[in-house]
Amino acid sequence: QVKLVESGGGLVQAGGSLRLSCAASGSFFSFKAMGWYRQTPGNQRELIADITDGITNYADVVKGRFTISRDNDSDTVYLQMNSLKPEDTGVYFCTAGPVGVGPYSHYRSWGQGIQVTVSS
């Protein structure tokens, strides 16, 4: 089991930036893959970005604006969000797993979720 604690959410104006952090604790092998999902109004929870062995992937809707990174020394994954839009508003969830964090990945862990609100 992996404990994931998110921080860094809040309210920001359109065009602004936020950085989300997710601190992981537990078995090292249980968070080989880490990523971020979000739940926005009118949409199901979707994978936004993930990182596994230094390889990153992004959803098209955030590509070029969001950057995922990982500090292996502190077991923390970050999501730098730039050029934020009102449609980015939602609850963001950190996730981790031993292999992957895609929608069909099993044996994953979830953070509690953190609110991001982008005003227009």
Side-chain angles (χ1 to χ4, degrees):
Q1 179 72 298
V2 175
K3 180 182 178 182
L4 303 172
V5 180
E6 302 112 328
S7 61
L11 174 66
V12 67
Q13 286 186 303
S17 299
L18 285 173
R19 188 178 75 161
L20 304 182
S21 299
C22 176
S25 61
S27 174
F28 173 82
F29 297 101
S30 294
F31 47 86
K32 178 181 179 180
M34 298 186 71
W36 293 90
Y37 281 70
R38 73 181 182 187
Q39 180 75 56
T40 59
N43 297 289
Q44 65 179 17
R45 188 180 298 185
E46 61 181 349
L47 179 63
I48 298 302
D50 67 89
I51 183 168
T52 304
D53 291 331
I55 300 173
T56 59
N57 296 285
Y58 300 93
D60 288 340
V61 291
V62 305
K63 193 174 298 181
R65 299 188 297 121
F66 292 10
T67 302
I68 189 170
S69 62
R70 179 169 177 169
D71 183 343
N72 290 321
D73 291 333
S74 62
D75 294 328
T76 301
V77 65
Y78 302 95
L79 186 67
Q80 179 66 46
M81 304 184 293
N82 298 325
S83 301
L84 283 163
K85 306 173 181 179
E87 51 262 45
D88 293 319
T89 294
V91 180
Y92 286 68
F93 298 87
C94 180
T95 187
V99 178
V101 293
Y104 300 104
S105 298
H106 299 287
Y107 310 108
R108 66 156 86 243
S109 298
W110 291 97
Q112 79 283 1
I114 188 166
Q115 179 70 38
V116 171
T117 302
V118 184
S119 65
S120 59

